[in-house]
């Protein structure tokens, strides 16, 4: 669910503020043990590369090579990591030297598909400043590679390839993007990526028992009652043996009946008092209600799921009114069980949804309001207990009469015995009822706890298994995003009637668009349910900017805007970093207001203890295309036409593979 937090969106400055809904999946997919072997580091590096994190891939694969793990396959992925998300002019002199040195190692590797792919990668670099007619042989060799090798080269060389090289491959690239864009049931599965990992099942533990204290007091009180009652009966027996025996039998019968029915009555009243003693959970509309806290969010979630899971024949509002007391009780329980710092209600929604479905199912079975039958049973027990107590009182008075008829001098002692029996009997009865009731309550609540916990654990496992099988992998998310970017660029080229030969370079910046959900795996970049794509196409005539809001679930775009700039229109480009807010890119134009673009939101509060804030920030910025975009705009703002002359593909210093 998306939080309803207020959002300010200034379309004039393209600003975005605030956080919507977010989750971090606890995964070891990028975990590297300190003692990991070079092969293990290489494998993790390849995973980083496939998932769109080339900066970490470069580090991991370079580390594996430095520790002696070097072959054509390793070097191939190292070259891809070096060039992924970067244009040729983004490479430093040292990096070009390292690539040149690596090109000389190709001949030393064992012949095979990996060596061919690596060789073609270096030939593509050498073709950057070559006439279009000379690229045909390289393109034929590229097409001869297996589709998987060819596709990864095209994907990671996206900003490197220009001109005729890219024109010759673009139609195939576009067709592949159209085919893969909705592969693997994207529309049905993307939602699960942004669904938070559910928190485990919990249930209310039985309340502590007071039976031990009641049992400890029972022998003394019961003894006093027995002595007082026996003394009274002996006095009656002396006065009139026949009447005393009858009265004793009646008293025993009435006492047993009162004990049997009274225990049920007392237990019912005791349970009601304990329930009423629970803390009151005020309604959000109640003036006494606290602010927008955890309990109110739990209540809102219960209201939502109860309304959408109403039984057949009930309107949502009617069902909410019918179950208000049940919901209040469940709200109090869930708020108590899961009231922890930094625990989002989204992580408990699986349980709230299950409880709403359980209430609906119990209603359909006719067991939702078993309390009514319990009330009827308690009323019958109450009536029997009252009758038995009246009979016991009448019998006691009868004994007093029997004693008085036999000897008036014994009446005072009989009255004292009755008073003692009443007081001690009342105390003994209370202790007995307390002990018996607590034992019964503990047995019932323990059974209820075990049944509830088991049922909730089953529901938790079912939901977690469903999420695990539905949630897309990082590779799938990255591939879908790559297809979206490819088709967005293709549409922009078609609209402006441009070919790759017309472009000096291009850059695409992906920023979050409100309202959004965001999620990531531990160690990976944030991925958003809604993006704002900004594409900058640099030609000889200037810069064309195309921006659009993009829904990642169904790949639908809206609010498209287009702008054109001369090279001298860029005054300066600045980046502002605020730990508690995020990164802002400020684009200052010579003939208009400053453009403020929120590149990423703050995420320090979402970091795991073993994550480095600076490293995660760099990963997110690189994943958003910020690094290349910033260098491009900064260079144009600083040098104007001079940047164009220096970075024209025809003027690039040639890359020569080592002999």
């Amino acid at each position: 669910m998306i939080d309803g937090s207020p959002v300010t969106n200034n379309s004039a400055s393209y600003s975005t503020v605030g956080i919507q809904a977010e989750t971090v999946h606890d995964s070891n997919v990028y975990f590297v043990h300190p003692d990991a072997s070079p092969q293990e580091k290489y494998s993790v590096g390849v995973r980083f590369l496939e998932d769109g994190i080339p900066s970490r891939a470069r580090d991991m694969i370079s580390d594996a090579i430095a520790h002696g793990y070097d072959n054509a396959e390793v070097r191939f992925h190292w070259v891809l990591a070096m060039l992924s998300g970067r244009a040729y002019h983004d490479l430093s002199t040292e990096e070009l030297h390292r690539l040149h040195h690596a090109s000389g190692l190709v001949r030393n590797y064992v012949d095979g598909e990996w060596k061919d792919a690596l060789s073609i990668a270096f030939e593509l670099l050498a073709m950057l400043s070559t006439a279009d007619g000379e690229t045909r042989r390289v393109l034929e060799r590229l097409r001869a590679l297996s589709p998987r090798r060819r596709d990864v080269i095209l994907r990671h060389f996206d900003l490197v390839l220009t001109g005729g090289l890219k024109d010759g491959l673009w139609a195939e690239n576009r067709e592949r993007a159209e085919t893969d864009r909705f592969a693997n049931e994207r529309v049905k599965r993307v939602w699960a990526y942004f669904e938070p990992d559910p928190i485990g099942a919990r249930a209310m533990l039985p309340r502590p028992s007071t039976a031990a204290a009641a049992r400890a007091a029972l022998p003394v009180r019961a003894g006093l009652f027995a002595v007082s009652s026996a003394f009274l009966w002996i006095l009656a027996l002396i006065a009139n043996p026949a009447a005393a025996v009858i009265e004793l039998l009646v008293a025993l019968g009435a006492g047993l009946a009162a004990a049997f029915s009274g225990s049920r009555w007392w237990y019912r009243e005791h349970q009601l008092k304990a329930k009423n003693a629970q803390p009151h959970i005020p309604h959000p509309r109640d003036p006494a209600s606290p602010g927008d806290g955890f309990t109110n969010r739990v209540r809102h979630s219960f209201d939502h799921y109860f309304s959408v899971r109403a039984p057949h024949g009930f309107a949502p509002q009617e069902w909410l009114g019918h179950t208000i007391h049940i919901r209040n009780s469940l709200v109090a329980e869930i708020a108590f069980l899961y009231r922890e710092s930094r625990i989002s209600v989204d992580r408990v929604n699986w349980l709230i949804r299950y409880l709403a479905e359980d209430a609906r199912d119990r209603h359909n079975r006719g067991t939702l309001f078993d309390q009514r039958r319990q009330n009827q049973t308690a009323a019958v027990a109450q009536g029997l207990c009252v009758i038995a107590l009246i009979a016991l009182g009448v019998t006691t008075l009868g004994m007093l009469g029997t004693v008085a008829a036999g000897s008036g001098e014994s009446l005072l002692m009989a009255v004292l015995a009755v008073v003692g029996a009443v007081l001690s009997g009342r105390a003994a009865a209370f202790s007995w009822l307390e002990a018996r009731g607590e034992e019964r309550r503990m047995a019932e609540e323990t059974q209820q706890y075990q049944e509830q916990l088991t049922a909730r654990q089953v529901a938790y496992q079912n939901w977690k298994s469903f999420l695990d099988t539905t949630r897309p992998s990082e590779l799938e998310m990255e591939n879908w995003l790559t297809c979206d970017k490819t088709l967005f660029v293709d549409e922009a080229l078609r609209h402006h009637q441009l070919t790759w030969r017309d472009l000096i370079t291009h850059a695409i910046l992906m920023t979050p668009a409100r309202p959004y959900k965001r999620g990531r795996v531990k160690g990976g970049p944030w991925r958003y349910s809604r993006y704002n794509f900004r594409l900058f196409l640099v030609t000889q005539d200037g810069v064309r900017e195309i921006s659009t809001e993009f829904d990642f679930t169904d790949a639908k775009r809206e609010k498209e805007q287009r702008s054109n700039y001369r090279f001298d229109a860029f005054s300066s480009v600045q980046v502002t970093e605020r730990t508690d807010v995020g990164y802002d890119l400020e684009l200052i134009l010579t003939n208009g207001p400053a453009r403020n673009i929120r590149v990423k939101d703050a995420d320090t509060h979402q970091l795991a203890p073993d994550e480095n804030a600076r490293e995660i920030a760099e990963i997110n910025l690189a994943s958003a295309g910020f690094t290349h975009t910033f260098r491009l705009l900064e260079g144009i703002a600083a040098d104007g036409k001079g940047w164009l002359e220096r970075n024209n593909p025809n003027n690039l210093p040639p890359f020569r593979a080592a002999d």
Side-chain angles (χ1 to χ4, degrees):
M1 297 174 63
I2 298 175
D3 294 340
S5 55
V7 176
T8 302
N9 185 4
N10 186 340
S11 59
S13 61
Y14 299 86
S15 63
T16 57
V17 296
I19 298 288
Q20 298 291 321
E22 55 192 34
T23 183
V24 180
H25 304 298
D26 189 10
S27 172
N28 291 326
V29 66
Y30 299 132
F31 175 75
V32 182
H33 194 275
D35 299 327
S37 66
Q39 293 90 334
E40 291 172 329
K41 293 179 180 179
Y42 163 71
S43 297
V44 175
V46 172
R47 190 176 298 121
F48 273 120
L49 181 63
E50 291 175 341
D51 296 346
I53 315 174
S55 59
R56 294 288 289 128
R58 287 194 290 272
D59 295 338
M60 299 302 297
I61 299 176
S62 296
D63 188 276
I65 293 173
H67 286 84
Y69 190 58
D70 190 5
N71 55 45
E73 178 184 352
V74 174
R75 281 292 175 175
F76 174 73
H77 287 106
W78 177 80
V79 170
L80 295 183
M82 289 291 290
L83 297 169
S84 182
R86 310 167 84 186
Y88 188 80
H89 55 262
D90 291 333
L91 299 172
S92 66
T93 302
E94 179 187 354
E95 289 171 330
L96 288 172
H97 286 162
R98 292 174 64 189
L99 286 167
H100 177 78
H101 171 73
S103 68
L105 302 176
V106 176
R107 59 179 177 270
N108 300 328
Y109 298 131
V110 178
D111 291 341
E113 184 181 12
W114 291 112
K115 181 176 180 178
D116 291 341
L118 179 60
S119 176
I120 291 171
F122 282 121
E123 288 187 33
L124 286 172
L125 281 178
M127 291 290 107
L128 292 181
S129 57
T130 305
D132 291 345
E134 300 179 22
T135 64
R136 185 177 307 164
R137 181 183 60 85
V138 179
L139 292 179
E140 290 176 354
R141 290 194 63 195
L142 179 63
R143 290 191 175 98
L145 287 176
S146 65
R148 186 172 181 180
R149 305 288 171 261
R150 181 177 66 248
D151 291 348
V152 296
I153 290 177
L154 294 178
R155 171 185 165 187
H156 295 292
F157 276 46
D158 179 60
L159 295 176
V160 175
L161 300 181
T162 56
L165 271 174
K166 201 156 189 176
D167 266 340
L169 298 166
W170 188 245
E172 301 172 17
N173 204 15
R174 181 183 64 246
E175 291 175 3
R176 184 167 50 255
E178 290 175 343
T179 301
D180 296 344
R181 189 180 199 182
F182 296 106
N184 300 328
E185 298 184 313
R186 167 182 177 172
V187 175
K188 295 181 180 179
R189 296 174 56 215
V190 164
W191 67 269
Y193 186 88
F194 304 104
E195 190 74 13
D197 294 327
I199 195 168
R202 301 175 188 175
M204 292 293 290
L205 287 166
R207 289 168 288 151
S209 175
T210 59
R215 281 195 297 266
L218 180 59
V220 175
R221 296 174 178 179
L224 292 174
F225 173 73
V227 170
S228 300
S229 300
F231 184 68
L232 174 63
W233 182 73
I234 290 171
L235 291 176
L237 186 64
I238 294 172
N240 188 341
V245 170
I246 295 174
E247 290 166 347
L248 176 62
L249 293 175
V250 173
L252 288 175
L256 290 174
F260 175 75
S261 57
S263 64
R264 302 174 68 182
W265 177 18
W266 183 90
Y267 180 72
R268 176 61 184 157
E269 293 298 317
H270 182 69
Q271 290 294 86
L272 285 176
K273 289 180 180 179
K275 185 176 181 180
N276 292 334
Q278 292 179 349
H280 173 61
I281 304 296
H283 194 276
R285 296 187 181 90
D286 191 330
S289 174
D292 185 23
F294 180 76
T295 300
N296 282 343
R297 290 193 292 272
V298 169
R299 182 184 296 280
H300 180 271
S301 189
F302 266 106
D303 290 348
H304 168 73
Y305 284 113
F306 265 75
S307 64
V308 299
R309 280 161 173 76
H312 179 71
F314 273 90
Q317 290 302 318
E318 182 185 3
W319 178 242
L320 289 177
H322 192 64
T323 58
I324 184 170
H325 297 298
I326 292 177
R327 291 201 322 279
N328 286 341
S329 177
L330 291 174
V331 167
E333 177 185 351
I334 299 305
F336 175 79
L337 288 174
Y338 292 96
R339 185 182 296 280
E340 300 175 9
S341 60
R342 302 175 67 177
I343 292 295
S344 168
V345 174
D346 291 339
R347 298 188 63 193
V348 194
N349 275 338
W350 69 270
L351 177 55
I352 297 175
R353 182 170 55 248
Y354 162 75
L355 293 173
E357 293 170 352
D358 180 64
R360 177 196 61 195
D361 295 342
R362 285 193 289 130
H363 168 80
N364 293 337
R365 294 193 301 265
T367 59
L368 182 60
F369 295 108
D370 282 345
Q371 205 71 29
R372 293 175 180 174
R373 285 192 286 272
Q374 294 177 9
N375 291 340
Q376 293 172 359
T377 302
V380 173
Q382 181 179 355
L384 291 175
C385 182
V386 170
I387 294 172
L389 289 174
I390 292 173
L392 185 61
V394 171
T395 303
T396 302
L397 293 175
M399 282 188 180
L400 286 174
T402 301
V403 172
S407 174
E409 297 176 354
S410 301
L411 181 60
L412 178 60
M413 290 186 291
V415 170
L416 293 176
V418 169
V419 172
V422 170
L423 294 178
S424 60
R426 182 178 181 276
F430 181 82
S431 296
W432 178 76
L433 289 171
E434 178 77 13
R436 180 181 173 86
E438 281 296 283
E439 290 172 355
R440 178 182 173 186
R441 180 189 64 79
M442 281 297 295
E444 289 182 355
E445 290 189 1
T446 299
Q447 181 181 0
Q448 183 182 34
Y449 166 75
Q450 292 172 345
E451 291 176 350
Q452 282 188 348
L453 184 61
T454 299
R456 293 177 184 185
Q457 286 174 336
V458 171
Y460 167 78
Q461 289 298 335
N462 290 340
W463 177 246
K464 190 174 186 304
S465 298
F466 177 71
L467 276 183
D468 291 342
T469 55
T470 305
R471 181 179 291 130
S473 66
E474 289 296 294
L475 179 58
E476 288 177 312
M477 294 290 287
E478 183 64 23
N479 285 341
W480 289 330
L481 187 59
T482 299
C483 292
D484 294 332
K485 291 190 292 183
T486 298
L487 295 176
F488 177 54
V489 172
D490 181 73
E491 183 178 311
L493 292 174
R494 290 170 179 265
H495 176 81
H496 290 287
Q497 298 182 348
L498 295 171
T499 67
W500 287 105
R501 290 182 175 85
D502 301 321
L503 296 185
I504 306 301
T505 189
H506 74 289
I508 185 167
L509 180 65
M510 298 177 296
T511 58
R514 301 294 173 176
Y516 69 71
K517 298 179 183 179
R518 70 175 183 175
R520 68 180 181 94
V521 299
K522 190 170 70 172
W526 285 112
R527 301 187 186 278
Y528 299 90
S529 61
R530 299 185 73 250
Y531 285 95
N532 197 325
F533 283 0
R534 285 184 173 84
L535 173 63
F536 297 91
L537 301 175
V538 183
T539 68
Q540 294 283 350
D541 301 324
V543 180
R544 291 178 172 87
E545 179 191 355
I546 305 96
S547 65
T548 185
E549 289 188 6
F550 178 81
D551 191 320
F552 188 72
T553 301
D554 53 15
K556 291 183 179 179
R557 300 199 299 265
E558 59 182 9
K559 299 181 181 179
E560 187 163 306
Q561 297 181 346
R562 296 183 178 87
S563 303
N564 297 313
Y565 310 102
R566 301 187 311 274
F567 283 103
D568 58 0
F570 292 94
S571 176
S572 66
V573 179
Q574 299 177 2
V575 176
T576 303
E577 176 189 358
R578 287 179 287 177
T579 305
D580 58 336
V581 176
Y583 283 81
D584 288 339
L585 176 66
E586 185 178 39
L587 181 61
I588 301 176
L589 305 175
T590 57
N591 58 349
R595 299 270 306 284
N596 295 315
I597 302 172
R598 171 63 47 81
V599 179
K600 65 176 290 292
D601 288 316
D603 52 19
T604 52
H605 66 292
Q606 285 285 355
L607 296 179
D610 55 346
E611 287 185 309
N612 181 278
R614 175 61 60 182
E615 183 178 281
I616 296 298
E618 291 175 355
I619 287 174
N620 282 301
L621 291 174
S623 177
F626 167 80
T627 306
H628 173 64
T629 303
F630 177 69
R631 287 179 178 173
L632 171 64
L633 298 179
E634 184 183 43
I636 294 176
D639 299 336
K641 280 282 188 179
W643 180 93
L644 176 64
E645 296 173 1
R646 227 178 28 254
N647 292 276
N648 192 311
N650 296 324
N651 298 331
L652 289 176
F655 176 86
R656 291 188 176 87
D659 297 329

